[in-house]
Amino acid sequence: MSAAPNRRLVAVVLLVPVVVALALWAFAWPAARMAPRDLPVGVAGAAPAADHLAQQLEQRDGAFEVHRYGSEAAARTAIEDRSVYGAIVATPKGPELLTASAAGPVVAQLLHEAVTASAPAGTSVPVTDVVAAPATDPRGSVLGASILPLAIAGVAAGSAVTLLRLRGGRAVTALLGVAVLVGIVAAALTDSWLGVITGAWWSEAGALGLTVLAIGGTVAGLAALIGPAGVGLGALLMVLMGNPFSGVTSAPELLPRPVGALGQLLPPGAGGSLLRSVAFFDGRAAGGAALTLSLWAVLGLTAVLIGGRRRPPVPAAPEAKPSRQPALAG
């Protein structure tokens, strides 16, 4: 047996466990360490009751980032603008909790447990869901599960462009076409059919398509610059890191540092945030996520165009074999 097959055998045996370990770390570690970290929460009402509520939250070792509001109406507006995930309102009858299950059912449940634990024993804390998740998806399961298919679609688009050897403008046209069609199909499934997202239809289709374009453009761009290995690198970045770091099933502030912040800088995380904003909050707080996705898409497509200007390598002509005809006898 030659040395080359032996090296490939060892590479396969070692590489697969490394990939599995990386995937388990990326998916399991954030889930196992889920806890609030500077989670934006509002406190509203008159002093000293509101001050006491704020102090209780601030004593939780950096778990909450407390924002003060003068009235319940101001706290509701902050929730609707996605400035905070919820708010505690001090009233003469005791604390009341405002949540937004559309921003994350896990966060809403966490806030309810935190406020109930802080209230006097036997006290019932009224809860108002200011921006409720749709009745067809009260736990946000479908929205949370939608990012992985978008990541796979983007990686598949970038891989197909690379394998089919589309270059330059043709590659960009293919990626744009895939993004547009995936956005329309995904919006038709999740909004028109399942009813699990309830915002402006075309805004949702645009958010879905832009997410696919950012991922597909990045994968194809990496492949155009560094070769087929760019497909693997792009898939690793978008699926094995971007998807579990996105925080779409919970919230970025519940993930270990710096995973939550890093995830929002990658297309899957930015795509999840953008989709949530346009689906349930009338596009509020969508600017940062839309800018992040646009930058990834522009950089990826630019790399595709730059790579397309390079001439593909010309295969070397096979060397002529020396003639082995027997010499003629004199």
Side-chain angles (χ1 to χ4, degrees):
M1 184 179 291
S2 63
N6 284 336
R7 287 196 295 268
R8 290 196 293 266
L9 172 63
V10 173
V12 170
V13 171
L14 295 179
L15 181 61
V16 172
V18 169
V19 172
V20 171
L22 179 62
L24 287 175
W25 168 80
F27 281 86
W29 173 60
R33 297 292 185 267
M34 190 175 296
R37 297 169 176 85
D38 290 329
L39 186 74
V41 177
V43 173
D51 293 336
H52 178 65
L53 292 174
Q55 290 174 0
Q56 287 182 320
L57 293 176
E58 291 170 348
Q59 290 173 356
R60 291 178 174 255
D61 297 328
F64 299 102
E65 179 185 282
V66 180
H67 299 252
R68 286 296 306 270
Y69 301 100
S71 64
E72 178 180 342
R76 284 176 174 266
T77 300
I79 293 172
E80 292 169 351
D81 289 341
R82 299 198 71 189
S83 298
V84 294
Y85 282 94
I88 308 171
V89 182
T91 70
K93 297 181 180 180
E96 296 182 2
L97 178 61
L98 306 178
T99 63
S101 58
V106 174
V107 178
Q109 181 63 31
L110 183 150
L111 290 176
H112 182 260
E113 293 173 355
V115 174
T116 302
S118 301
T123 303
S124 177
V125 179
V127 180
T128 302
D129 200 346
V130 177
V131 186
T136 49
D137 187 26
R139 295 181 177 85
S141 302
V142 177
L143 181 67
S146 64
I147 298 304
L148 181 57
L150 295 180
I152 293 175
V155 172
S159 302
V161 164
T162 303
L163 293 175
L164 295 176
R165 298 182 181 179
L166 298 178
R167 302 171 62 82
R170 287 189 176 88
V172 170
T173 301
L175 292 168
L176 289 170
V178 168
V180 170
L181 291 178
V182 169
I184 292 174
V185 171
L189 291 174
T190 55
D191 187 318
S192 303
W193 180 40
L194 297 175
V196 294
I197 56 177
T198 57
W201 199 93
W202 285 108
S203 296
E204 294 166 348
L208 293 162
L210 182 58
T211 303
V212 173
L213 180 62
I215 296 171
T218 300
V219 172
L222 288 171
L225 293 178
I226 65 176
V231 173
L233 179 60
L236 181 70
L237 184 64
M238 299 301 169
V239 178
L240 287 187
M241 291 185 64
N243 185 63
F245 291 1
S246 67
V248 69
T249 58
S250 54
E253 294 83 359
L254 298 185
L255 301 180
R257 295 188 180 97
V259 165
L262 176 62
Q264 295 306 296
L265 297 177
L266 296 174
S273 295
L274 179 60
L275 181 58
R276 194 182 297 277
S277 288
V278 300
F280 307 124
F281 293 88
D282 295 327
R284 296 182 181 93
L291 177 60
T292 299
L293 289 173
S294 298
L295 288 175
W296 278 97
V298 169
L299 291 174
L301 296 180
T302 300
V304 170
L305 291 174
I306 292 174
R309 292 181 179 180
R310 300 177 179 176
R311 292 185 177 181
V314 179
E319 297 181 359
K321 296 182 178 180
S323 175
R324 296 184 178 179
Q325 294 181 355
L328 299 176

